[in-house]
Amino acid sequence: MKKYGIPILIIILGSLLVHLANTYLNFSGANTICTLLRVIVVFSFGMSLCQRRRRNQNAWVKKLLIAFFVFFMMCWELGYFIFPELKYLLNFLGLTTFGFNLIYVYCGWAFFD
């Protein structure tokens, strides 16, 4: 159950929660809350994919770097950080919301790998 059940449960409950938030939150900060919720769900899905029994607890630098990277990407998506050169590069590479979601899944997996 743990190997397949938890990731599927996160997909189902997370998508339902994000859908309900998008549908029923109607105030000025609703878009920010929906983006934060989406990042949390996708990152936790990536964390649930790591099936190692014993996690490396001494890799605090890697975890700190991943946390800062996810924070930077989330702020980038919310429009708090804008660097024209980086924006041009991301547009050139075709990284859209779907690409960011894949990066969040990878970061969640790498956080506990």
Side-chain angles (χ1 to χ4, degrees):
M1 172 68 180
K2 184 177 180 181
K3 185 175 182 180
Y4 298 111
I6 292 176
I8 290 174
L9 189 66
I10 290 173
I11 290 172
I12 293 169
L13 292 178
S15 62
L16 177 66
L17 191 61
V18 170
H19 174 71
L20 290 175
N22 280 330
T23 304
Y24 294 113
L25 293 180
N26 295 322
F27 57 92
S28 62
N31 188 29
T32 303
I33 291 175
C34 291
T35 301
L36 291 173
L37 188 61
R38 182 180 53 83
V39 168
I40 290 169
V41 167
V42 175
F43 188 82
S44 63
F45 173 70
M47 285 178 18
S48 71
L49 293 178
C50 187
Q51 297 295 325
R52 295 176 85 188
R53 294 274 185 224
R54 189 159 191 259
R55 295 189 169 124
N56 188 2
Q57 301 296 331
N58 296 328
W60 65 272
V61 175
K62 180 182 83 167
K63 291 181 182 187
L64 185 67
L65 288 174
I66 290 172
F68 279 132
F69 182 71
V70 168
F71 179 73
F72 174 78
M73 286 181 38
M74 182 180 58
C75 289
W76 177 268
E77 276 194 276
L78 291 172
Y80 296 141
F81 301 143
I82 298 175
F83 302 108
E85 295 82 13
L86 185 60
K87 186 174 185 177
Y88 174 76
L89 178 66
L90 293 177
N91 288 337
F92 179 74
L93 294 174
L95 280 175
T96 59
T97 305
F98 179 70
F100 278 114
N101 286 342
L102 292 176
I103 292 171
Y104 290 134
V105 168
Y106 174 76
C107 287
W109 173 79
F111 191 79
F112 278 125
D113 185 41

